[in-house]
Amino acid sequence: MRADAARNREKVLLAARELFAEQGFDVPLDEIAARAGVGPGTVYRHFPTKQALFQAVTESRVQAMISSAAPSDDAGADLTAFLTKMAGEAAAKRDMSDAIAVPSELRDSLHATLGGLLERAQAAGAVRADITTRDLVALMKGMLQSMHEGANPAVLLEIVLTGLQSSRKP
């Protein structure tokens, strides 16, 4: 890659990182190009789709979060810690709520991680058995989106965590 092309790619990534964090996935590519100081064609040369650009911007942060989901002896605490971390990330930046929703390999990895944590917590009796991964993803999507509409993140997280609790004592 030529030096000027590499610089332009970095400008696009920086602008996209800022705008996705501020506005989420719905930010127009033309706005990203304008903030980067490049033309829309430059954005498309480096990233053929908005999903590709979004994944490039959010991948390291979401992968770090996924990697933090290392299992311990307390499967219920592992799930709680992961959901709490996800809520904290979403409170700081709008793109986390989109990372769970926008179709991509990254989204699939995030869903798989949630599913694995959920299954472990259910097997330990810490989480109700009738919740599916799809249910948990829907709850998290709703919670994360509501946070961007002004809802109190701590209250929403407490409601989700309380609703997941098993009535059975391990």
Side-chain angles (χ1 to χ4, degrees):
M1 186 181 293
R2 294 183 344 232
D4 62 331
R7 279 191 304 272
N8 284 342
R9 184 178 195 281
E10 288 307 311
K11 287 180 189 177
V12 169
L13 284 170
L14 178 62
R17 189 172 296 117
E18 292 169 355
L19 287 167
F20 283 141
E22 292 168 13
Q23 300 177 33
F25 185 75
D26 291 334
V27 65
L29 283 178
D30 287 348
E31 191 172 337
I32 293 169
R35 178 157 311 173
V38 300
T42 299
V43 175
Y44 284 109
R45 270 191 296 284
H46 293 286
F47 304 98
T49 65
K50 190 193 289 191
Q51 285 89 347
L53 177 57
F54 183 76
Q55 185 160 337
V57 166
T58 58
E59 186 158 22
S60 64
R61 214 170 83 251
V62 175
Q63 281 300 94
M65 192 173 73
I66 289 170
S67 296
S68 76
S72 73
D73 292 337
D74 188 343
D78 294 343
L79 179 62
T80 297
F82 191 80
L83 297 178
T84 301
K85 186 171 188 169
M86 182 181 276
E89 289 279 331
K93 298 182 178 178
R94 288 189 64 103
D95 56 358
M96 180 53 64
S97 55
D98 291 326
I100 197 172
V102 174
S104 68
E105 292 175 22
L106 192 60
R107 178 201 68 178
D108 296 343
S109 293
L110 188 55
H111 287 200
T113 299
L114 281 168
L117 289 167
L118 175 64
E119 289 170 11
R120 284 188 65 248
Q122 287 172 322
V127 173
R128 17 182 325 167
D130 60 342
I131 301 287
T132 67
T133 300
R134 181 173 282 174
D135 297 333
L136 181 56
V137 167
L139 277 170
M140 293 308 292
K141 280 182 189 177
M143 182 184 89
L144 299 178
Q145 183 60 41
S146 295
M147 289 168 54
H148 300 304
E149 296 171 1
N152 183 324
V155 170
L156 291 178
L157 182 61
E158 182 182 344
I159 290 168
V160 168
L161 295 175
T162 301
L164 290 174
Q165 290 176 354
S166 174
S167 59
R168 174 181 100 166
K169 301 290 184 211

